[in-house]
Amino acid sequence: VFFFFEDSLKTHKTAALCGTHGLGTSSVVTEFAYLNEGNYKNIFFIRAVGAEFDIFIGEIVNDLQFPTDAQTTPAQKLQMFQHLNHSDI
């Protein structure tokens, strides 16, 4: 699994793991992050279950103090988050 993460990160600057609840996907991602904390500037673990995805992205954008207001849409917050792949945060 880690090989596929590495390959995807080198090629696309992003990687995702999905699976049914209870199969250990959270454990795999947590282990990857622990083993690679010095290799990447940012590692985010985002639960993407239905509408929760927008909520988690919004929380990360707010925690990183991106300029937002009540009119900022989930799509705009996602664009801000995706900008992290090309920034120096």
Side-chain angles (χ1 to χ4, degrees):
V1 173
F2 291 161
F3 169 79
F4 295 109
F5 275 172
E6 292 290 337
D7 187 52
S8 181
L9 289 166
K10 288 176 185 171
T11 305
H12 306 288
K13 292 191 172 190
T14 188
L17 177 66
C18 60
T20 304
H21 178 74
L23 291 179
T25 52
S26 297
S27 296
V28 170
V29 172
T30 301
E31 182 70 10
F32 178 83
Y34 175 76
L35 293 173
N36 289 280
E37 64 183 320
N39 298 332
Y40 299 99
K41 190 178 292 187
N42 303 302
I43 298 176
F44 295 96
F45 175 34
I46 302 169
R47 291 188 58 214
V49 179
E52 289 180 350
F53 181 76
D54 289 343
I55 294 168
F56 287 117
I57 292 294
E59 289 176 356
I60 291 170
V61 166
N62 291 339
D63 289 346
L64 294 175
Q65 299 179 349
F66 280 93
T68 62
D69 60 27
Q71 305 304 317
T72 307
T73 66
Q76 290 169 323
K77 289 180 181 181
L78 179 58
Q79 286 179 331
M80 292 175 189
F81 180 73
Q82 289 171 328
H83 177 72
L84 289 174
N85 281 336
H86 307 289
S87 71
D88 291 327
I89 291 179

